[in-house]
Amino acid sequence: MKAVASGVAEVAVRAQFGWINVLKAGAAQLIVLHHLAFYGPMSDHVRRMLPALLDWLGGSARIAVQVFLVISGFLVAKSLSPAGLPGLASPLRAIGRRYAKLAPPFMAATLLAAAASILAANWMTHDSISAPATLDQLGAHALLLHGVLGYESLSAGAWYVAIDFQLYALTALLLWLGGHVAGKRSAPWLMPLVVTLGITVSLLHFNLDASWDNWAPYFFGSYGLGMLAWWASDVRRKAGAMTVLLIMITVPAVLALAINFRSRIALALLVACVLFLFGRSRTPAQGQTWSVVNRLGQISYSVFLIHFPVCLLVNAAFIHLVPLEPEWQALGMLTAWGASLVCGAAFHRWVEVPLGRAVQLAVEHFMMRPVFV
């Protein structure tokens, strides 16, 4: 009987948001391939053989980041306000936990990227190689303020980590402020209305001005769509309430697309609809296919963090040691892609998870300490 109970518990623990992992895994692969195609120099030679594919990967494939933005909003609603109600007892504690989760592995990957640039510079000269990092630059990265302060990113995709943190902090503060506005009332529609207003302002104003792309309001449209998708998919809601939330999802996005069509916003709306339909579906890691998908979803953040220094070193090695024929350089791109997955899995196991646990424990210990006056 104990063995049966143990088996059931193990399956329950392993059950995951399978379709979210499908989206995360697919988007992570596109981001890796986009950076391989965009930064080169292997792709410069492969483009002679596959120009259409390399042009698409180097351009349009970058909108895959919208998948992460919408999913992040979906999961932050699940974490901070599952029922869509206003109020958050300790926003600073929530923000501190988020920072402790994002920043330590990000800085580890950033240091690796800085070292990779130094090593790669010995074998090739290319725009993808950053200048040697300065202490100010590293400090700005550690605070997740490198974009805001105007420092050059040391790794491709570094901007996303800072934006994710800004969006989380903004959401936590909005929930806290909403709780104060609502007072003792439940106000079940306050936060959906606030988020819908934020989506509308973001899509119709901030997202049309590229000078805002280092700030959360530029991306809140996609993030907020994910939040509304979580609240709309709650099976406990009545059909009428669910319909209203779906209208809140679609109307601002469709209006924004009608005024100024942006493929990234169209993708964000599509992902929000997919999450509404399937986002809460849990699948156990049983069967080879789901096992691979769930694993790729688990390591997607690590792959996102570590792939740039890996791709940089593989680029340098193939440019320096291998013939510059398109076929050989295509093999180099495939090697970099595979190496990014392997290194991402290793980074997840040996850096992201243990470092995250250690930092979380330290943060919790610090926050729980009594304050003496």
Side-chain angles (χ1 to χ4, degrees), residues 64-75:
V65 76
Q66 295 294 320
V67 175
F68 290 111
L69 286 168
V70 179
I71 289 176
S72 188
F74 187 81
L75 295 178

Side-chain angles (χ1 to χ4, degrees), residues 52-364:
L53 177 60
L54 269 293
D55 287 343
W56 183 83
L57 287 174
S60 299
R62 70 182 182 274
I63 68 172
V65 76
Q66 295 294 320
V67 175
F68 290 111
L69 286 168
V70 179
I71 289 176
S72 188
F74 187 81
L75 295 178
V76 80
K78 169 185 176 292
S79 173
L80 296 183
S81 182
L85 299 176
L88 188 63
S90 181
L92 294 182
R93 177 172 295 182
I95 293 169
R97 287 173 177 167
R98 188 64 172 179
Y99 179 83
K101 179 179 180 180
L102 292 177
F106 168 68
M107 276 310 297
T110 298
L111 292 174
L112 289 174
S117 288
I118 294 173
L119 293 174
N122 294 322
W123 279 2
M124 70 175 187
T125 301
H126 196 267
D127 294 340
S128 58
I129 297 177
S130 302
T134 65
L135 289 177
D136 290 346
Q137 191 177 18
L138 289 173
H141 278 70
L143 295 173
L144 303 182
L145 293 174
H146 43 282
V148 171
L149 297 177
Y151 286 96
E152 180 187 1
S153 294
L154 293 171
S155 179
W159 65 269
Y160 174 82
V161 183
I163 289 298
D164 182 271
F165 178 68
Q166 283 188 38
L167 288 166
Y168 187 96
L170 175 61
T171 302
L173 292 174
L174 285 176
L175 287 168
W176 172 76
L177 183 60
H180 281 270
V181 171
K184 295 183 179 180
R185 296 166 295 175
S186 61
W189 287 100
L190 177 60
M191 293 317 301
L193 287 171
V194 168
V195 170
T196 303
L197 177 62
I199 291 171
T200 305
V201 174
S202 172
L203 296 182
L204 297 183
H205 176 66
F206 293 109
N207 194 256
L208 295 173
D209 185 353
S211 65
W212 281 93
D213 64 0
N214 284 315
W215 296 92
Y218 184 87
F219 300 94
F220 190 81
S222 300
Y223 196 80
L225 289 176
M227 295 178 66
L228 290 178
W230 171 267
W231 293 331
S233 63
D234 190 345
V235 295
R236 295 169 296 181
R237 290 189 185 276
K238 295 181 180 180
M242 181 188 70
T243 302
V244 172
L245 285 167
L246 287 177
I247 292 173
M248 290 178 168
I249 291 173
T250 54
V251 169
V254 171
L255 179 62
L257 292 172
I259 293 174
N260 189 322
F261 183 84
R262 285 149 282 173
S263 57
R264 62 183 183 271
I265 304 305
L267 177 60
L269 176 59
L270 176 61
V271 173
C273 292
V274 170
L275 291 179
F276 163 72
L277 293 173
F278 307 111
R280 293 183 182 235
S281 302
R282 289 184 178 268
T283 56
Q286 293 176 334
Q288 189 64 32
T289 301
W290 275 117
S291 179
V292 171
V293 166
N294 287 328
R295 182 58 178 163
L296 288 174
Q298 283 179 340
I299 67 173
S300 59
Y301 182 53
S302 288
V303 171
F304 186 85
L305 290 178
I306 202 66
H307 77 275
F308 182 71
V310 172
C311 292
L312 194 60
L313 292 176
V314 174
N315 261 286
F318 268 74
I319 289 297
H320 184 72
L321 301 173
V322 176
L324 300 181
E325 299 299 323
E327 296 80 6
W328 282 102
Q329 297 303 310
L331 176 62
M333 290 184 68
L334 292 175
T335 301
W337 183 16
S340 296
L341 296 180
V342 172
C343 293
F347 190 86
H348 175 78
R349 179 175 181 180
W350 300 111
V351 179
E352 181 186 353
V353 173
L355 186 60
R357 287 173 181 167
V359 173
Q360 288 282 7
L361 288 173
V363 169
E364 290 295 332

